Amino acid sequence: MVLLLSVAVCCTAPLSGATSTYLALQAGAGTEDGIAEGGSAADIPARMLTAYKKAVQLTGRHAPTCRGMRWPILAGIAKVESNHAAGHTITAGGDIRPRIYGVLLNGSGAGGNTTSFPDTDGGRWDGTASGERAVGPFQFLPSTWQSIGRDASGDQVADPHNADDAALGAALYLCGDGRDLTRRAQLKAAIYQYNHSTAYVANVLGWIDQYAQAANGPGLNGVSGTVRTVIEAALSQRGVPYSWGGGSTTGPSYGICCSPSGKSGTHIKGFDCSGLPLYAFARAGVRLPRTAAAQAAVGERIPAGLGTGALKPGDLVFYAYAPGRDSTIYHVGLYLGRGQMINAARPGTVVRLDAVDAMSGYAGGARLL
């Protein structure tokens, strides 16, 4: 494992037995659940973005059989691991000061760790010979860095605390033995290898997709009229926090207590999954019911059996614990096109762009316009 990190998962409809896990074993990133907030190219420090792009250029030299490495992949990982080294100084040469250290993985329970990792570097990278801790903006364990670390900055030292070196190391680790990262399944496998958590994979994929969209633009060519009004209204809320029960026809609002994982929205002004389309469709004069399951009963239903290719921009996208039984619908997103949706995913995140397959239990859609 590169590091030990889990992120909170929560559904947007009450369901007994829903669980959440959540160790944030790294320094300087995210919310209390270890989920980083934000999400546009503008939130990446220029020097870190340079490192990501440089690593992509060097990947072909070090891993010639790897396909599809691109900077949003590295940005998605680094967003969750260290929030792009937020709060740290990045020198022109890429050195990050002060260094970023995770908690000591000695099994003490601090930060949620219960497994002891013996020291492998004599404290060279993690600052202690008492055990191991994850290091740098990509949170590598020193033992992992020994096998994948490369010098990308030109100083002849492979340093996980250097943005260029760390980004190249992450690229090579994700590339594995010649993966094709243009294939979604292989990209998921690469992220899962980085951290063995399906919740982590979904979270990182969300940021990758958002950075890719930020780089390419949301692509609203051919979308006009009320559909464009709805989509632009939802897009205008990107970066607004998730709030359980939050969102109204007039915009973000304080939510309620509490989600299945115990997260309260009472002190968070934002949207939950169904609150976002409630607001967006209101901008076009369409009034929706409040919950995801109730919204599925509005408009022309698009059966899940037709696949996601049947969706059009502006459609609602539903997810259910038991697809085929609308009473079990737990989540809704707003389809943007090209396999993307505008999504208020879960507590600890923000309104962002996600792939339609970022959520489980696809249950079809509904066309209101």
Side-chain angles (χ1 to χ4, degrees):
M1 241 179 347
V2 175
L3 85 161
L4 307 177
L5 171 70
S6 298
V7 294
V9 176
C10 174
C11 305
T12 52
L15 182 75
S16 60
T19 59
S20 57
T21 40
Y22 332 82
L23 310 176
L25 303 185
Q26 91 279 19
T31 69
E32 63 181 1
D33 287 323
I35 301 178
E37 294 186 0
S40 69
D43 75 349
I44 305 175
R47 185 59 184 84
M48 292 299 290
L49 184 58
T50 295
Y52 306 153
K53 292 181 176 180
K54 184 176 183 180
V56 172
Q57 295 174 346
L58 293 175
T59 296
R61 179 191 306 172
H62 294 277
T65 60
C66 181
R67 296 288 181 270
M69 178 54 66
R70 56 197 190 280
W71 73 258
I73 295 176
L74 299 175
I77 295 284
K79 179 68 177 182
V80 173
E81 301 299 358
S82 68
N83 198 14
H84 308 300
H88 297 257
T89 299
I90 309 166
T91 69
D95 291 327
I96 297 172
R97 300 291 181 266
R99 290 182 167 189
I100 302 173
Y101 295 123
V103 300
L104 184 64
L105 302 175
N106 59 3
S108 66
N113 79 95
T114 57
T115 303
S116 178
F117 287 77
D119 176 68
T120 62
D121 68 335
R124 180 185 184 189
W125 300 125
D126 62 6
T128 178
S130 301
E132 294 278 85
R133 53 183 179 177
V135 298
F138 285 88
Q139 289 290 275
F140 288 105
L141 290 179
S143 56
T144 303
W145 184 252
Q146 289 178 15
S147 62
I148 56 92
R150 300 289 187 278
D151 171 35
S153 63
D155 64 359
Q156 309 304 311
V157 177
D159 184 350
H161 298 284
N162 178 276
D164 296 331
D165 297 357
L168 179 57
L172 299 181
Y173 191 84
L174 292 165
C175 279
D177 188 18
R179 286 194 178 98
D180 183 351
L181 300 176
T182 65
R183 297 179 180 272
R184 193 74 171 183
Q186 293 194 34
L187 177 59
K188 287 182 177 180
I191 300 169
Y192 187 81
Q193 175 185 307
Y194 205 95
N195 186 326
H196 293 179
S197 162
T198 55
Y200 178 87
V201 172
N203 197 33
V204 171
L205 283 172
W207 296 124
I208 292 172
D209 292 336
Q210 182 143 331
Y211 286 125
Q213 288 292 336
N216 299 326
L220 294 182
N221 293 335
V223 178
S224 60
T226 53
V227 172
R228 190 180 188 98
T229 297
V230 169
I231 290 177
E232 288 183 340
L235 286 172
S236 72
Q237 301 304 307
R238 281 185 293 180
V240 173
Y242 181 99
S243 175
W244 178 264
S248 71
T249 57
T250 59
S253 68
Y254 290 100
I256 60 176
C257 184
C258 281
S259 74
S261 62
K263 300 301 179 183
S264 174
T266 56
H267 300 295
I268 302 173
K269 190 174 184 179
F271 293 99
D272 67 6
C273 73
S274 55
L276 180 62
L278 183 76
Y279 164 76
F281 276 90
R283 300 303 92 201
V286 178
R287 197 167 188 91
L288 294 181
R290 185 58 183 81
T291 67
Q295 289 173 359
V298 179
E300 176 191 350
R301 197 72 164 87
I302 304 167
L306 296 179
T308 58
L311 297 171
K312 294 182 179 180
D315 289 346
L316 295 177
V317 188
F318 300 105
Y319 302 85
Y321 294 110
R325 293 172 53 196
D326 282 1
S327 62
T328 70
I329 286 175
Y330 73 92
H331 192 80
V332 60
L334 179 63
Y335 190 64
L336 176 63
R338 298 188 298 179
Q340 302 289 307
M341 64 179 171
I342 311 165
N343 195 25
R346 60 180 67 86
T349 64
V350 296
V351 175
R352 65 192 191 188
L353 303 186
D354 277 330
V356 171
D357 63 3
M359 313 295 292
S360 61
Y362 175 65
R367 187 162 299 145
L368 284 66
L369 301 173

